[in-house]
Amino acid sequence: WVQEEAPDVLCLQETKCGVSAVPPEIRALPGLPHQFWASAEGRPGYSGVGLLTKTEPLNVTYGIGDPEHDADGRVVTAEFPSLFVVCAYVPNAGRGLVRLEPRLRFDAAFLEFLRRLDAQKPVLLCGDLNVAHAEIDLCHPRANRANPGFTPQEREGFTRLLGAGFVDSFRHLYPEARGAFTFWTYLGGARARNVGWRLDYAVVSRRLLGSLCDSKIRSTVAGSDHCPITALLAV
């Protein structure tokens, strides 16, 4: 699928492997020779992201400058001439919301990080943001109001992101699209019944909207409990 899609930048989240454990077939992906991986320090099999590019970035950074969260290997940022591309795997609030407070602290620190980038040049944020922003973004909103990914606090965090000059590219182009999900639990045949959540986003600086060509959810692509999304920009 990656070879057919032929992306200029491929962002991977929840890789759950250290740099040395990246499979050789991923290392050898044609057209993506520049690869940057982050993983959780001392916690193999936890978290992790990868950012793979066709052309070499001007600069690459890891983390968001916050000691509480940077050891988890959740963010890689690549700088290109016209924009920053941020690959992010936002923390899950956990069953019973046991990690909600750390999640909210991450949201606040991450927003400040994105604002700092945006002050320099436009930003494209891609990743598993672990929140369904509005009721239209999950199948059963009423039953999930107290569940991780749909608490008022997490949704408000995403609203603050939008209020800071960023745009949810998919919802900007398809404001009324229903059943547009990117995650389905493996339990109960949820994917076959499209009982899902939209947790994966391509978020852009508002001034990139003139360059936004499309934002797609590739829901037929199997291989994970999440499906890929594709952002198309003319930059």
Side-chain angles (χ1 to χ4, degrees), residues 135-196:
E135 292 193 355
I136 197 174
D137 294 317
L138 73 166
C139 189
H140 295 307
R142 187 173 300 177
N144 284 288
R145 296 192 195 283
N147 286 334
F150 199 60
T151 62
Q153 300 97 313
E154 292 166 297
R155 296 168 66 193
E156 287 163 11
F158 194 87
T159 299
R160 282 191 292 274
L161 174 65
L162 300 184
F166 298 94
V167 178
D168 173 355
S169 64
F170 179 84
R171 201 48 82 192
H172 173 77
L173 294 172
Y174 305 102
E176 305 299 328
R178 295 186 174 273
F181 305 135
T182 67
F183 166 81
W184 306 262
T185 177
Y186 283 125
L187 302 174
R191 188 160 186 170
R193 297 182 293 120
N194 200 30
V195 178

Side-chain angles (χ1 to χ4, degrees), residues 87-109:
C87 172
Y89 173 43
V90 170
N92 190 297
R95 185 169 299 185
L97 303 179
V98 294
R99 294 193 298 276
L100 180 60
E101 289 306 316
R103 157 64 187 265
L104 298 179
R105 291 195 297 272
F106 178 93
D107 283 352

Side-chain angles (χ1 to χ4, degrees), residues 13 16 31 34 51 166 174 192 222:
Q13 297 86 39
K16 294 189 174 183
H34 307 285
L51 191 152
F166 298 94
Y174 305 102

Side-chain angles (χ1 to χ4, degrees), residues 58-119:
L58 300 175
N59 188 43
V60 174
T61 60
Y62 298 84
I64 61 174
D66 188 305
E68 180 183 2
H69 305 289
D70 283 354
D72 285 348
R74 294 187 175 276
V75 179
V76 175
T77 302
E79 180 182 359
F80 295 95
S82 58
L83 81 168
F84 290 101
V85 177
V86 180
C87 172
Y89 173 43
V90 170
N92 190 297
R95 185 169 299 185
L97 303 179
V98 294
R99 294 193 298 276
L100 180 60
E101 289 306 316
R103 157 64 187 265
L104 298 179
R105 291 195 297 272
F106 178 93
D107 283 352
F110 191 37
L111 178 55
E112 289 308 308
F113 170 76
L114 294 171
R115 280 177 161 149
R116 292 194 298 272
L117 293 181
D118 191 53

Side-chain angles (χ1 to χ4, degrees), residues 33-46:
H34 307 285
Q35 302 189 7
F36 309 93
W37 303 91
S39 58
E41 296 176 9
R43 300 181 71 182
Y46 179 76

